[in-house]
Amino acid sequence: MIKETTILQGLDDEQTYESVDAFFTAHGLDEWRAKELKCFTDAGFDVTDSTKQMAEMSDDGKRVIITVAYTDQAEKDAIFANADAGEGPAGLTQYITEDHLF
């Protein structure tokens, strides 16, 4: 199993959000998030399975934490085969951590 956790934070780190959806909406990233999730579901990955993927707000409401558990490298490669190359969503700071949600 390959577990990866990404933390996303807006450039204005004083803003707080009620939910993951509110965070993406406030940053104008609803469409980006839908495309990102589609890459997973198109590859047969169940984004609603909490043993495979979780997304939640940090305790202070400023950051989105997303943990994904891939079965293996082949599953990860299948998911990202159709993803747009790039640094991630504009207007956000993105970093990887070893502190997983599950």
Side-chain angles (χ1 to χ4, degrees), residues 16-17 56-63 65:
T16 60
Y17 306 92
E56 61 184 47
M57 294 304 301
S58 59
D59 290 340
D60 64 4
K62 295 180 181 182
R63 295 173 297 284
I65 304 164

Side-chain angles (χ1 to χ4, degrees), residues 1-4 51-52 67-73 75 102:
M1 179 177 298
I2 301 170
K3 222 181 243 193
E4 293 182 349
T51 66
K52 297 286 288 177
T67 297
V68 179
Y70 305 99
T71 302
D72 53 26
Q73 189 63 45
E75 181 178 55
F102 61 93

Side-chain angles (χ1 to χ4, degrees), residues 27 38 82:
H27 289 93
K38 188 175 182 328
N82 296 323

Side-chain angles (χ1 to χ4, degrees), residues 6-77:
T6 302
I7 298 176
L8 302 172
Q9 180 174 344
L11 298 177
D12 172 13
D13 63 1
E14 296 307 311
Q15 179 71 31
T16 60
Y17 306 92
E18 297 284 325
S19 68
V20 171
D21 289 338
F23 176 90
F24 283 106
T25 298
H27 289 93
L29 295 169
D30 289 329
E31 186 176 317
W32 176 87
R33 179 163 162 76
K35 286 180 185 178
E36 191 81 1
L37 291 174
K38 188 175 182 328
C39 287
F40 284 81
T41 57
D42 284 355
F45 191 94
D46 184 359
V47 296
T48 64
D49 181 348
S50 63
T51 66
K52 297 286 288 177
Q53 189 260 0
M54 288 181 82
E56 61 184 47
M57 294 304 301
S58 59
D59 290 340
D60 64 4
K62 295 180 181 182
R63 295 173 297 284
V64 170
I65 304 164
I66 304 168
T67 297
V68 179
Y70 305 99
T71 302
D72 53 26
Q73 189 63 45
E75 181 178 55
K76 182 178 175 181
D77 290 346

